[in-house]
Amino acid sequence: MSEPILPPIGMLAELTHRCPLQCPYCSNPLELLKANRELDTQTWLDLFSQAADLGVLQVHLSGGEPTLRRDLEQLIAGLSARGVYTNLITAGVGIAEGRIEAFAEAGLDHLQLSFQGARRVTTDHIGNHQGSHEKKLETARRARAAGLPLTINAPVHRHNIEEVPEFIDLALSLDAERLEIANVQYAGWALANRDRLMPDLAAVNRQADIVAAARERLAGVMTIDFVTPDYFAIYPKPCMGGWARDAFMVAPDGTVLPCHAAQTIPSLRFGRFGERRLAEIWTDSPAFNAFRGTDWMREPCRSCERREIDWGGCRCQAMAIAGDAAATDPACVKSPIHNRMAMLTDAAQAEAAPEGNESFIFRRIGSPQRDPTRALEPARR
């Protein structure tokens, strides 16, 4: 490899795939794991201890919905005892009274709360869960009352992109320190629903202008992060900071992965914690080393001046669109198939259903209601 393997500093722990919401943009895999496949409390604690030994400084506790784990307070306390920064990523629905305060008491450092819409009707519709918007508002208030720093996460797609100004107002009203305008990335359930979620270019440009103006206006008041949409990009983003470069994720069953969608690359096999130590997986796993650094790159990536900026972009996106995980990320203007991105966005607009008739494939444990394979096929020239 072109550079030494450094210790990871960040980890995403998907504690469960269970969730009260059924968001069609979820990045979880289509084959969701049931509760009986989840690691038990002690195994998670052992994993967290090995992560801290390895150098991990921050752990994002996610899912599914991580608050469905009855042992979440114990997991937070275990990380806190090792001095690891903890961020709870939650849908904020169905959290029992007193638990947020218990999370804070256990040592939780930060809470990140997702809103499917800035409007009640949007939140309830996209999550397929009536009453969820009001529950989220209450979760935000309880988090701030418990002294927890708060981030509002707004996953943006066709059906809520015009609500971006309202997301900004919502985050301010909830005393959030940070707002993440996160354009949906198409993996997992989001890829299966791509044609139903993809916004058009005009809407993307409008939201970018709105966010830029708000960042300037609210400097020193609230941080606004903007996750750009790959399908409208000129250059790709580094996947998780670069494949297996400084972060990794762990699935509910202990499978250790470089990113959310890595298991969609059929040539790779990933280790499971308990069968191997975390340090061995990070350092010696052929799957982790497959796209680490720059030596794996082909042209035009190999000689590109951006190769150590975006680290080749997203391998899973290359797999999904080019059919080859080692191909140049099609989001990059230098990719020989960059035009496929425009073809896919155009196709999504041509097939857009009338408002209210999206026919989402809602996220559910078990088989998807409809066969999503057509949405997963790579675009052709």
Side-chain angles (χ1 to χ4, degrees):
M1 283 179 296
S2 55
E3 63 171 20
I5 299 174
L6 300 176
I9 60 173
M11 170 184 166
L12 175 66
E14 291 191 338
L15 302 178
T16 180
H17 279 164
R18 292 172 289 146
C19 186
L21 303 187
Q22 300 177 355
C23 305
Y25 61 78
C26 184
S27 61
N28 283 161
L30 295 180
E31 295 185 12
L32 297 166
L33 300 175
K34 296 182 179 180
N36 62 359
R37 300 280 302 279
E38 297 171 13
L39 298 182
D40 61 26
T41 305
Q42 189 56 52
T43 304
W44 273 117
L45 289 172
D46 291 346
L47 190 157
F48 291 149
S49 180
Q50 290 189 28
D53 290 342
L54 192 55
V56 168
L57 301 176
Q58 55 183 337
V59 170
H60 303 275
L61 301 165
S62 182
E65 175 48 55
T67 63
L68 291 177
R69 293 279 307 212
R70 296 181 180 179
D71 58 358
L72 184 53
E73 293 89 339
Q74 189 175 350
L75 300 181
I76 292 169
L79 286 163
S80 180
R82 292 299 308 268
V84 176
Y85 183 93
T86 49
N87 174 38
L88 175 62
I89 304 173
T90 177
V93 175
I95 302 176
E97 187 172 353
R99 281 203 88 193
I100 291 175
E101 295 77 9
F103 300 153
E105 182 67 24
L108 183 66
D109 293 295
H110 184 272
L111 188 140
Q112 181 172 322
L113 175 63
S114 65
F115 274 83
Q116 287 63 47
R119 306 167 189 166
R120 177 189 58 77
V121 65
T122 308
T123 300
D124 293 356
H125 173 58
I126 297 299
N128 203 26
H129 189 288
Q130 294 303 305
S132 62
H133 193 80
E134 292 302 322
K135 294 174 183 176
K136 291 170 182 288
L137 294 174
E138 179 60 24
T139 294
R141 296 184 188 108
R142 287 163 54 193
R144 295 300 291 125
L148 290 171
L150 176 66
T151 288
I152 299 300
N153 176 255
V156 172
H157 46 80
R158 179 192 302 162
H159 302 280
N160 65 7
I161 195 167
E162 301 301 340
E163 298 179 26
V164 167
E166 295 165 72
F167 276 122
I168 296 169
D169 292 341
L170 175 66
L172 285 169
S173 72
L174 294 174
D175 193 29
E177 295 186 351
R178 176 174 167 266
L179 168 65
E180 183 176 14
I181 302 292
N183 284 272
V184 165
Q185 307 299 304
Y186 294 96
W189 293 84
L191 184 56
N193 285 290
R194 182 172 57 194
D195 286 352
R196 304 163 189 86
L197 294 170
M198 186 82 70
D200 62 33
L201 178 59
V204 169
N205 288 336
R206 281 196 301 274
Q207 70 149 346
D209 291 342
I210 291 166
V211 170
R215 278 174 157 175
E216 183 175 352
R217 183 177 77 253
L218 297 172
V221 177
M222 182 174 69
T223 300
I224 302 178
D225 290 339
F226 184 63
V227 179
T228 57
D230 284 346
Y231 280 62
F232 298 92
I234 297 175
Y235 296 113
K237 298 186 292 294
C239 174
M240 295 278 288
W243 181 278
R245 188 164 179 266
D246 60 16
F248 62 94
M249 68 154 289
V250 181
D253 66 350
T255 301
V256 185
L257 303 163
C259 71
H260 281 96
Q263 287 176 302
T264 63
I265 301 175
S267 62
L268 300 182
R269 297 292 179 268
F270 296 97
R272 185 172 297 174
F273 180 77
E275 297 172 359
R276 297 186 70 189
R277 293 184 62 80
L278 195 57
E280 294 172 355
I281 296 173
W282 175 257
T283 304
D284 301 327
S285 166
F288 271 63
N289 287 325
F291 302 112
R292 200 175 231 150
T294 60
D295 286 352
W296 62 271
M297 293 180 180
R298 306 169 184 165
E299 295 294 350
C301 297
R302 179 175 287 272
S303 58
C304 180
E305 68 278 3
R306 294 181 56 84
R307 65 185 177 277
E308 294 186 7
I309 297 174
D310 57 41
W311 300 98
C314 181
R315 298 301 88 221
C316 305
Q317 188 158 258
M319 186 72 237
I321 298 174
D324 179 1
T328 301
D329 186 339
C332 183
V333 70
K334 297 184 180 183
S335 166
I337 60 168
H338 181 65
N339 67 312
R340 291 192 189 178
M341 305 302 265
M343 292 169 58
L344 287 166
T345 58
D346 290 347
Q349 299 314 309
E351 297 185 21
E355 192 67 26
N357 295 307
E358 301 89 0
S359 300
F360 289 136
I361 304 171
F362 282 109
R363 176 199 187 279
R364 293 186 176 98
I365 289 182
S367 300
Q369 285 187 307
R370 293 188 293 108
D371 182 5
T373 54
R374 185 183 63 80
L376 307 182
E377 292 176 356
R380 303 303 176 192
R381 290 184 185 273

